[in-house]
Amino acid sequence: MNVALVRGTAVQDHVALAEIELCGELIIAASAARGERLSADRIDEVLRVSDSQQDDGPPPPGPGA
């Protein structure tokens, strides 16, 4: 059986890497938490979400909807 060697295929998905990093930070925060769950405020803090970045729900339907 022959296996083809692939060279120079270092593909990086920067969005996926950022999501993995944030998940890791959430896991660390959860393991350090004293209670059973992280509060929504603590999750926002870990994920570096500010009030100005949060949306107020789904966007309104577009024309013809």
Side-chain angles (χ1 to χ4, degrees):
M1 178 170 138
N2 292 333
V3 177
L5 296 176
V6 180
R7 297 174 193 228
T9 59
V11 177
Q12 291 187 357
D13 184 339
H14 297 285
V15 174
L17 292 173
E19 289 178 2
I20 291 167
E21 182 179 341
L22 291 173
C23 286
E25 291 181 25
L26 277 175
I27 291 168
I28 292 168
S31 67
R34 294 185 180 176
E36 286 187 31
R37 296 177 182 228
L38 294 177
S39 68
D41 290 336
R42 179 66 179 129
I43 292 171
D44 288 348
E45 181 182 329
V46 171
L47 297 179
R48 297 181 291 272
V49 175
S50 69
D51 289 336
S52 63
Q53 292 176 330
Q54 294 179 7
D55 64 354
D56 294 327

